Structures are given as C-alpha cells and as structure tokens.
Amino acid sequence: MRLEIGEIIIDDVQFGNSTKVENGTLFVNADEIKSIVLEDEHISSVDIDLAKPGESIRITPVKDVIEPRVKVSGNGGIFPGIINKVDTVGTGRTNVLKGCAVVTCGKIVGFQEGIIDMTGPGAKYTPFSKLNNIVLVIKPKEGLKQYDYEHATRMAGLKIATYLGEATKEVTPDTVIPYETKSLFEQADLYPDLPKVAYVYMLQTQGLMHDTYVYGVDAKKIVPTLLYPTEIMDGAILSGNCVSACDKNTTYHHLNNPIIKNLYEKDGKEINFMGVIITNENVYLADKERSSNFTAKLSRYLGLDGVIISQEGFGNPDTDLIMNCKKIEDEGIKTVIVTDEYAGRDGSSQSLADADPKADAVVTGGNANQLIHLPPMEKIIGMLDYVDKIAGSFDGSLSEDGSIVAELQVITGATNELGFNKLSAKTY
Amino acid sequence: MNSYILITNNPMVKKNLIEKDIFFTNKSLLGVLIECRNHIHKGHKLLSHPLSSSVKPNETPFKSVLISKSASNLDYRSLEIIESSILSTKKFISNAPQPKWPDKILDDFMLIDYSVISNTIDSIK
C-alpha cells in the first residue's frame, strides 16, 4: 500500500468570504462552518474563533484536535466509516493543511478536558500552540445527555476538518512525501538482513468519553488486527477520548503518529517496518488476556524481531501495556514501551501502576504530576468556569487574575504517549 | 445467575444495575479497593481493573469493581493488581486530596463509572 502525503503549508488563518488557501493563508468562511455544524439538531449554537501561535489566548476545555485532510486520489475518503463510506483507505494521494487544526471545545462533563495556551510557559508543553487553530465552541440543546453531546461535538470537528480539506482540494502541495508498506512477503524480502519491526498501537477503549473508533467500529469490540500504517494517515483511527488531556491521543495525534513516521524514516536503513498491530485497553481482565495473547501471536506470526508498544491513558492501560510487553518478550521478540508517568510532584514515586522486569526499555513522555504555573491570558476561547475542575488542578487553582497553578496533566498533549511532545528523560 | 460480585460505592450503579450480587458500600474509593482486597484474600478473583477509566483516583469518589463469585485459592495476579492499584491511589491522594465537588460534577463522575462498568458487564454476558 502506497500513500503520498501532500503538505500544503499554512502559516496564517483568517476569516474570509470563501474558504480557500492563498499564499499560505487559509481563509475560512465562518457562515458556512456554522451552517454545517448546526445541521446537527443536538447543537444549539457554535462560536467560531481563531487562535494563532504567540497570541495571548487560552483555549479550554478542549475535546479534540483534528488536522484537515482530503483524499485527492486513491480509494475511499478521509475518516472512513464515520464521515465517508467504509472503504479501505491508505493508497493514492492525500492532501494535508499542515500548520492548522480544528479544535473542538465543549463542557460535556464538568471536569478535565484540557487547556491549550497559545503563548507563555503553557504553550511550550502543547504542540497545538504552534498551529493556526480554528476553534469551535459547541453548545448543546437543553437537556442533551453527555453521550449525545460528546457524539455531536466529535462529529462537528470531523465534519469541519473534512469541509476545509475538500474546499482546498485543488491546491498544489508544497511538498509530497511518499510512504509505502508492501504485502507481507514482499516487505520481508525487501530488506532481508534488517530486523523486522512492527508497532503495537494500544487504543483507549473503556467506555463513555474513553473511546476510539477504527473504520467506525468502537475499538473495545475488536480483537487485535493488522493495519497498513498509511490507513491511519487517512483517518482510519479516530479519537472519542475526552479524558486525561495530557496523555490522550487526539485525532491529530492519530493522523500524525510520530512512532509510525519514525519507523518509516528508519525503514530500509536500520529496520524493516512490517506494519501496525492495533489493540484495545478494556476493563474486563479476560479481555486483556485475549487481546495481549493476540498481539503476541500476531507478532510471532509476522516473524518479528522487535516491537514498539505505545499505550494511551493511566492505570488500567498500564496493565495492558505490561501484558503486551511480557507476552511479546516471551515469544523471543524485543520490545520498547512508550508511556508517560504519574510519579508524584517531585518525580520520585512509582511511575506506572504495573511493572515487569521484561519492560526494560522504556521511553517516557514526561511526568504528568509536575506542577506548572500558567499566567493569565488576555482572551479566553471556551469557558474558564471549570478550570479548577480539570484533572490535575485543585480547589483554588484559578486565581482572581486568571492565572492557574495545576499539574501538567491539565495541558492537552503535554505528556503524550506517542512521543508527540518535547518532554522525556534520559538515563546514562 | 451471575458469576460475579459487583463491589461499588456508586449510587447510580446501585440504582440502575439491578444485581442480586451487588455489594454496596458507603466507603471512599480507597475503601472500595480495600474491600476488594479483603475478598481477594478470601480467594475471589479480580475480574475488572480497579483503576478503570482515566479519571484519577484523587478526582472521582466513585468506583465499581467486579470480582468472581466463587472463591478458591488465593490468586496472586489479582492480589498483585489490587495492591499496586491501592498503592497508586494512595500516591494520588497524598499529592492532592479530592476536592469538594458540586452535585453536577458528582453526577458526571457517577455516570463515567457507570458507563465503564456497564460496558464491562456486557463483555462478561
């Protein structure tokens, strides 16, 4: 499967009479966006705002971040099984508006949905402060249940990202990057002397506000299976995960998974990148046994020498992470796990809620318990009334001047467990 | 007949999951986990993860955990998971105690816990 990613570099976003790209500026027609969002009868109103790098803006509570993409050629459409038909994607050409994103906000529940600061110390911890953001603040119809509100907000973000991609489909990309994974035997023959490496991609799947979708299927109902990496770049995996801002994978993270990108960079040089095994993080322990048996079995079946495993979330997924690691190691396959840490404010406590001696190669995305001081911003997009109800903040977090003292876990993407951030630690 | 016992301090779970084998307690989240550990010491097996959901144990006051109805020899893996969950919970509480939440937020926490445990029970059935 071969996919070309055509990157259209966006270095500014402005409101305009029509949605288009001119000289690196994305113009967006707010009326059209509004009418698309309000097609959903569950939504009473939407405020559309722009937030650019360096501006004194705080966005909260953030639910999802989505990169606009469009399929220019090849099978199917972006976000298959949700926005487009459930065709197999991952081939042909996909154009990306690189440097901008759609951000959805809504107080679906009264706690913990994340902060993006566009400047100041908080901005350093989130990759989304570097983007030109089109922010949708979505308000529900009176009495709408949390399940329906979450669904409506998720769909609004996906629809607007698709709309922006479609509206700029004819723009010539600034760069085109090819990615290719061949069929199993062909790929194995391509670099027979290099170690065969795959990626075990753990998806958050625990229930309301903790869900992930694969081709439209709720991933808690899958058994682990294989995907071509390029399918993921076309939106085969979507986030319905609104809890734990710092280490949830937004849809933007899935589309731009840095582990996949890095494995492709090393493909044919240091390793032979064989593909992606997706798996879930259910709560029922028998489901964990089954899923980790499958990841180990598939790793063996593919004849792998090494596996990278990433997790999403805290606590319950730590057990899946360790089970995957241990069982794959037991097959004689080397593993590296990618996680973050809840190691206490001073970083000295046990980082994960599970452990095994075989988990001896670990990449960390940082300590989510670390305290951070966020100075006030001139403008708030969204609502601040729940900031002291966000994960990692506490009574009195929000001062009268608008400043916040809280743990790093308040910031969207701060300790992302795909490594899509700047934090880590090195042991020498 | 169910093959499990549901240990919970969540009133929404008690109200909506009409279970014959529900063990309801008014204790804290940590109290629920300790109750699970007591059962595990008596030979019950853990069926669902005690640190379910990404909501941290110093945030949500509510927790529902499934254990086996039958009891036999001590299951060391269950003990290992419940002990590390208790340790983890104590770590979070020592970082910052649970805030005093308004009713609206308590309802949200109940709903999240209820959703997670309902999905888990569906997996068992």
Side-chain angles (χ1 to χ4, degrees):
Chain A
M1 197 174 263
R2 185 177 198 273
L3 179 71
E4 291 179 350
I5 294 288
E7 293 188 347
I8 300 158
I9 307 299
I10 302 299
D11 35 44
D12 192 15
V13 59
Q14 293 179 24
F15 289 120
N17 293 326
S18 63
T19 297
K20 61 184 176 185
V21 174
E22 268 181 14
N23 300 321
T25 297
L26 172 66
F27 293 91
V28 295
N29 181 321
D31 291 337
E32 284 183 13
I33 290 177
K34 195 170 184 176
S35 68
I36 294 168
V37 172
L38 294 180
E39 282 170 6
D40 188 331
E41 59 183 14
H42 297 108
I43 297 172
S44 69
S45 69
V46 56
D47 294 330
I48 303 156
D49 221 324
L50 305 177
K52 305 176 194 182
E55 290 183 324
S56 182
I57 292 178
R58 173 162 297 148
I59 312 169
T60 189
V62 172
K63 195 215 151 279
D64 199 8
V65 184
I66 308 142
E67 186 170 58
R69 295 187 169 210
V70 65
K71 285 215 69 69
V72 178
S73 64
N75 205 34
I78 290 294
F79 308 131
I82 300 271
I83 293 291
N84 282 294
K85 284 196 298 180
V86 65
D87 293 320
T88 300
V89 292
T91 59
R93 161 82 68 83
T94 297
N95 279 358
V96 178
L97 296 182
K98 188 55 74 184
C100 74
V102 176
V103 177
T104 54
C105 286
K107 47 180 179 183
I108 296 166
V109 289
F111 61 96
Q112 67 166 4
E113 291 169 77
I115 291 173
I116 297 173
D117 277 0
M118 299 304 291
T119 190
K124 291 179 188 164
Y125 290 96
T126 175
F128 306 121
S129 63
K130 287 92 183 165
L131 301 179
N132 293 284
N133 294 312
I134 300 113
V135 188
L136 311 177
V137 181
I138 293 165
K139 292 183 181 140
K141 285 267 168 69
E142 183 80 24
L144 189 68
K145 294 288 180 200
Q146 291 96 329
Y147 287 94
D148 297 324
Y149 187 9
E150 187 280 324
H151 180 262
T153 307
R154 171 158 40 92
M155 290 303 292
L158 296 172
K159 281 194 273 188
I160 297 311
T162 306
Y163 157 79
L164 294 174
E166 292 281 352
T168 54
K169 191 173 180 176
E170 304 306 324
V171 178
T172 305
D174 297 288
T175 56
V176 176
I177 308 159
Y179 297 96
E180 184 168 20
T181 301
K182 297 202 177 277
S183 67
L184 193 59
F185 293 120
E186 283 180 284
Q187 185 68 37
D189 285 344
L190 211 51
Y191 312 111
D193 299 327
L194 294 177
K196 290 193 276 300
V197 176
Y199 170 35
V200 171
Y201 195 174
M202 293 171 51
L203 308 174
Q204 179 63 263
T205 56
Q206 299 190 64
L208 174 65
M209 310 193 58
H210 294 71
D211 285 321
T212 306
Y213 300 90
V214 179
Y215 280 99
V217 176
D218 180 344
K220 75 170 75 68
K221 295 171 183 166
I222 65 164
V223 288
T225 190
L226 287 167
L227 289 187
Y228 283 98
T230 52
E231 292 178 78
I232 298 160
M233 298 176 180
D234 272 347
I237 299 177
L238 298 179
S239 172
N241 181 14
C242 328
V243 184
S244 198
C246 64
D247 57 13
K248 73 178 187 183
N249 294 332
T250 66
T251 298
Y252 191 99
H253 289 108
H254 289 301
L255 292 168
N256 289 285
N257 186 314
I259 295 174
I260 292 175
K261 202 174 170 190
N262 275 274
L263 286 170
Y264 266 127
E265 280 171 12
K266 295 184 184 304
D267 185 41
K269 297 170 193 152
E270 295 175 35
I271 58 157
N272 189 346
F273 181 25
M274 299 298 293
V276 178
I277 300 167
I278 55 164
T279 185
N280 48 23
E281 302 176 344
N282 291 4
V283 177
Y284 184 33
L285 297 178
D287 286 346
K288 294 183 186 303
E289 287 291 352
R290 185 188 307 109
S291 290
S292 54
N293 289 345
F294 263 74
T295 59
K297 181 184 68 181
L298 288 170
S299 299
R300 181 79 189 140
Y301 196 11
L302 295 175
L304 301 176
D305 300 298
V307 166
I308 315 289
I309 311 168
S310 69
Q311 74 157 332
E312 181 178 4
F314 143 87
N316 170 54
D318 295 352
T319 295
D320 299 275
L321 179 70
I322 295 300
M323 287 167 86
N324 283 319
C325 169
K326 190 168 175 294
K327 290 181 186 181
I328 293 168
E329 289 269 348
D330 285 344
E331 294 289 344
I333 300 163
K334 293 284 180 199
T335 63
V336 176
I337 63 172
V338 189
T339 180
D340 67 349
E341 302 179 60
Y342 289 84
R345 298 222 169 129
D346 64 356
S348 66
S349 302
Q350 172 76 25
S351 301
L352 297 178
D354 208 340
D356 190 273
K358 288 186 170 149
D360 58 359
V362 183
V363 176
T364 175
N367 178 16
N369 289 136
Q370 183 189 320
L371 275 184
I372 183 167
H373 176 260
L374 303 175
M377 295 283 139
E378 287 169 16
K379 179 178 173 181
I380 304 294
I381 300 178
M383 50 287 272
L384 254 183
D385 49 337
Y386 282 100
V387 158
D388 59 350
K389 307 292 183 283
I390 292 181
S393 59
F394 30 84
D395 281 343
S397 284
L398 177 63
S399 303
E400 275 183 23
D401 68 353
S403 67
I404 296 167
V405 178
E407 291 181 8
L408 205 48
Q409 51 174 319
V410 300
I411 297 177
T412 302
T415 62
N416 178 262
E417 293 168 291
L418 305 174
F420 200 100
N421 61 346
K422 303 287 185 195
L423 290 176
S424 195
K426 284 184 184 174
T427 305
Y428 297 97
Chain B
M1 196 169 72
N2 293 326
S3 57
Y4 55 83
I5 301 170
L6 175 55
I7 300 178
T8 185
N9 66 353
N10 181 348
M12 191 184 284
V13 168
K14 186 186 174 191
K15 187 179 164 198
N16 292 306
L17 295 175
I18 313 295
E19 298 288 340
K20 191 177 167 191
D21 298 305
I22 199 158
F23 184 104
F24 185 80
T25 170
N26 285 316
K27 289 177 183 165
S28 65
L29 185 149
L30 184 61
V32 171
L33 300 190
I34 290 168
E35 196 57 61
C36 289
R37 184 172 64 184
N38 291 344
H39 279 77
I40 289 165
H41 280 150
K42 290 175 189 164
H44 297 269
K45 280 185 185 169
L46 203 54
L47 296 181
S48 70
H49 201 287
L51 296 178
S52 52
S53 140
S54 296
V55 183
K56 306 300 178 298
N58 61 344
E59 291 161 359
T60 179
F62 303 110
K63 182 57 65 181
S64 303
V65 183
L66 291 161
I67 59 166
S68 68
K69 193 170 184 179
S70 61
S72 53
N73 294 333
L74 177 67
D75 181 57
Y76 279 94
R77 181 60 180 147
S78 296
L79 189 61
E80 205 172 64
I81 294 175
I82 194 71
E83 286 290 4
S84 49
S85 300
I86 288 171
L87 205 67
S88 206
T89 299
K90 285 179 175 171
K91 175 181 73 186
F92 274 92
I93 293 168
S94 73
N95 261 353
Q98 202 174 87
K100 286 193 172 60
W101 301 113
D103 286 348
K104 162 75 179 76
I105 288 179
L106 288 174
D107 286 346
D108 288 338
F109 282 129
M110 280 188 223
L111 181 69
I112 298 253
D113 178 68
Y114 171 67
S115 161
V116 168
I117 207 66
S118 307
N119 278 311
T120 311
I121 290 172
D122 286 346
S123 287
I124 296 176
K125 281 176 179 167

